[in-house]
Amino acid sequence: MQACRNDQPHVWLLSGTGEGPVLVAALVAQGWRVSVSVVSASAAGAYAGLSLEDLWTGPLDGVEGILGVLDQARHRHQGFDWVVDVTHPFAVKISTDLQRACQEFAQPLLRFERPMEGCGEASLIASSADLARQTLQGSRLLMALGARHLGQAVRAARQAGAQVFARVLPSPESLRHALASGLPEHHLAVVRPLQGQSHGELESALCRRWSITAVVCRQSGGVTEQLWHKICRQQGLGLWLISRPQPCGAVEAIGSVESLLNRLSTDRVAPLC
């Protein structure tokens, strides 16, 4: 009688969006071995309780670092069947490095790309620096951006005559960037997004407390952008969207978790008996 060889497929998922844990849970339920990379310890907490092959935290050190992970996996686990880029739409460098490394290593790569939301009444700008060319005298702007980009946004908005406030994540790095931006402490709210009894409760309260007249956020798609559209409609606020970078055309991109799962399953290898 021929023995059965368990040929469980293995995927490496680089995550930076809320869809990551959902996708990982579905893959594990379907019998995949899953290794996950995230940037921070707080992001790693979303994967608690999931049966993972590996959970790596921290930066990957560019193309060479990614090649090192791929090479190590080939020796430890016979490599990855797929690498899946579920990083944030604005994390351009890691996506570019990943594409280059996987191409060099002949490693199959897929990109999860959130569908683009309609702009509605929002104004689209190429970068936060464009705020300096707007008429914002007397405006009270709430910056709902990554803290690393806060300094440029604050300078540009002040140049246009706005008062600036910001919501930042409760992490040491975010706090350092926020304080370095020049905003006074009483113009900063250190909170985790989407907290409260209902989504948007905290964000809505911040807008009311500070008498915000417009919000600046990134065109990242997903629940956070949808939330700002909703709050701005409800409170009659302006909304400035920083346009999403163009995805790398050389990588196959898929726009929903269900479609991505189906795509991965089409090339799945069945156990040999």
Side-chain angles (χ1 to χ4, degrees), residues 42-239:
S42 60
Y47 297 87
L50 293 173
S51 180
L52 300 177
E53 194 79 14
D54 299 287
L55 179 58
W56 298 305
T57 302
L60 287 167
D61 298 325
V63 174
E64 291 301 317
I66 296 169
L67 286 171
V69 174
L70 295 173
D71 187 58
Q72 185 181 49
R74 180 169 289 178
H75 288 91
R76 288 179 58 205
H77 307 295
Q78 292 77 52
F80 301 113
D81 294 83
W82 285 100
V83 173
V84 182
D85 180 4
V86 195
T87 58
H88 195 276
F90 282 75
V92 176
K93 186 179 187 306
I94 181 60
S95 292
T96 301
D97 289 345
L98 192 59
Q99 186 270 331
R100 288 176 56 196
C102 287
Q103 185 177 42
E104 183 175 333
F105 207 79
Q107 168 65 57
L109 170 66
L110 290 173
R111 165 76 182 165
F112 173 75
E113 190 69 33
R114 286 170 168 173
M116 198 83 80
E117 299 291 329
C119 287
E121 300 298 318
S123 299
L124 201 62
I125 54 177
S127 75
S128 60
D130 289 345
L131 291 170
R133 293 184 284 275
Q134 311 304 320
T135 304
L136 299 176
Q137 192 68 40
S139 297
R140 297 172 67 87
L141 298 190
L142 174 61
M143 299 293 176
L145 306 169
R148 285 181 298 171
H149 309 284
L150 190 56
Q152 175 180 271
V154 170
R155 289 190 296 272
R158 283 177 167 172
Q159 187 177 336
Q163 291 190 61
V164 186
F165 304 79
R167 178 217 66 185
V168 297
L169 292 172
S171 72
E173 182 183 13
S174 291
L175 289 172
R176 283 195 299 269
H177 285 296
L179 294 173
S181 73
L183 286 177
E185 292 184 10
H186 62 281
H187 282 207
L188 291 171
V190 183
V191 297
R192 190 167 297 283
L194 307 178
Q195 297 298 296
Q197 293 184 347
S198 61
H199 281 182
E201 179 181 23
L202 185 56
E203 288 82 355
S204 294
L206 281 177
C207 291
R208 290 191 297 269
R209 176 181 177 180
W210 283 331
S211 300
I212 295 299
T213 60
V215 175
V216 181
C217 73
R218 295 182 290 185
Q219 191 186 31
S220 56
V223 294
T224 302
E225 185 192 337
Q226 293 169 10
L227 177 66
W228 286 120
H229 280 282
K230 178 182 177 182
I231 290 173
C232 290
R233 283 195 305 269
Q234 290 175 340
Q235 297 193 24
L237 311 179
L239 178 60

Side-chain angles (χ1 to χ4, degrees), residues 21-63:
V22 175
L23 181 57
V24 169
L27 287 167
V28 170
Q30 291 181 6
W32 287 77
R33 290 182 295 145
V34 183
S35 294
V36 174
S37 287
V38 294
V39 173
S40 66
S42 60
Y47 297 87
L50 293 173
S51 180
L52 300 177
E53 194 79 14
D54 299 287
L55 179 58
W56 298 305
T57 302
L60 287 167
D61 298 325
V63 174

